[in-house]
Amino acid sequence: MPKTILVTGAAGGVAGYLRREFGQVYALVLSDLRIIDDLGSNERFQAADLGDIDALRALMPGIDAVVHLGGQSVEGPWDAVLDRNIVGAYNLFEAARLEGVNRVVFASSCHAVGFYRLDETISADAYFKPDSRYGVSKVFGEALGALYADKYGFDVLSIRIGNVAERPVDRRRLTSWLSPRDLAQLVRIGIETPRIGHQVVFGMSRNTGSCWDNAAAYRLGYAPQDDSMDHADSIDRSPPDPGDPAQVYQGGPFVLAETGGDPWKR
């Protein structure tokens, strides 16, 4: 029998790619506040609000693993980030624990380390340098993953997702691009790998010249099939403007999103 996987944030774009790439491999329980009506034969939909732990607990019976994509997907007001990404992430992990589900693939983000420069090479164990309130919330989610792995015996893969798309669209995303089929491979590693504990990896394809060292993912068996440089001929790769922080830092425009913030005064 195929495993049954709960996907939160299932109406979003990343989940759409994942559903396509998974095909019939898993039985999927799709959850979001937005109704999904284009269901496949292996899918069912059940609405739930991340702020409602009882609704989340009701999603869990029969679930083998959770792919947590839900929440605020970009920078936003603090109240929105707090409610959706911090309270919501805690509710998700705690609902899983209370219902005996102990495997989570957590959609973290490259914005947890967005204040590293593009000319620096970092590995997945690099210390946090969030570029926004959104980035801070992803640091919190990774910390939850570590807590629930160490205290409650969960298996958690935190994927610092870059940019999921059919192809990269600019110079910065030559570093962060993640093809849909490589995304699906990483998520399947999180679902299938035994005794993973808590691991953090970058959500990137095999991007030649990237500022990210993804050895942590390769140790888990990740073998990406795509390379952003295969699309580089169509991208302007002019040297970055050193006076534009959005071109200098890995977080791009997210480093400018804080009202009144000056990323040069650090």
Side-chain angles (χ1 to χ4, degrees), residues 53 57 89-99 148 152:
I53 193 168
R57 291 184 69 174
Y90 171 78
N91 286 345
L92 185 283
F93 273 88
E94 185 64 2
R97 183 186 72 83
L98 291 171
E99 297 298 326
Y148 276 73
Y152 304 119

Side-chain angles (χ1 to χ4, degrees), residues 145-212:
L147 173 68
Y148 276 73
D150 292 335
K151 182 166 284 191
Y152 304 119
F154 272 45
D155 290 301
V156 182
L157 182 65
S158 292
I159 304 175
R160 288 181 179 164
I161 294 175
N163 175 247
V164 183
E166 297 292 354
R167 57 188 298 148
V169 298
D170 59 25
R171 182 181 60 84
R172 183 174 65 87
R173 278 173 274 206
L174 290 173
T175 277
S176 61
W177 180 58
L178 176 59
S179 71
R181 63 178 175 176
D182 287 341
L183 164 71
Q185 184 189 160
L186 268 178
V187 173
R188 288 191 68 180
I189 287 171
I191 292 170
E192 302 290 347
T193 304
R195 296 180 298 280
I196 198 172
H198 178 241
Q199 299 284 334
V200 179
V201 300
F202 282 114
M204 61 178 286
S205 287
R206 191 186 67 250
N207 299 335
T208 301
S210 174
C211 57
W212 297 341

Side-chain angles (χ1 to χ4, degrees), residues 9-96:
V14 173
Y17 286 128
L18 201 56
R19 291 169 61 196
R20 184 190 74 188
E21 296 297 323
F22 275 171
Q24 301 287 317
V25 172
Y26 299 116
L28 300 180
V29 177
L30 307 178
S31 186
D32 205 299
L33 289 177
R34 289 181 285 166
I35 295 174
I36 300 172
D37 51 21
D38 61 333
L39 297 174
S41 60
N42 63 321
E43 298 176 329
R44 65 179 176 88
F45 174 76
Q46 188 171 340
D49 187 328
L50 292 173
D52 184 344
I53 193 168
D54 290 331
L56 294 176
R57 291 184 69 174
L59 297 173
M60 298 295 171
I63 295 298
D64 295 297
V66 179
V67 178
H68 183 43
L69 306 175
Q72 177 80 14
S73 61
V74 294
E75 178 66 321
W78 172 244
D79 286 349
V81 174
L82 173 64
D83 290 346
R84 300 168 189 170
N85 288 13
I86 292 182
V87 175
Y90 171 78
N91 286 345
L92 185 283
F93 273 88
E94 185 64 2

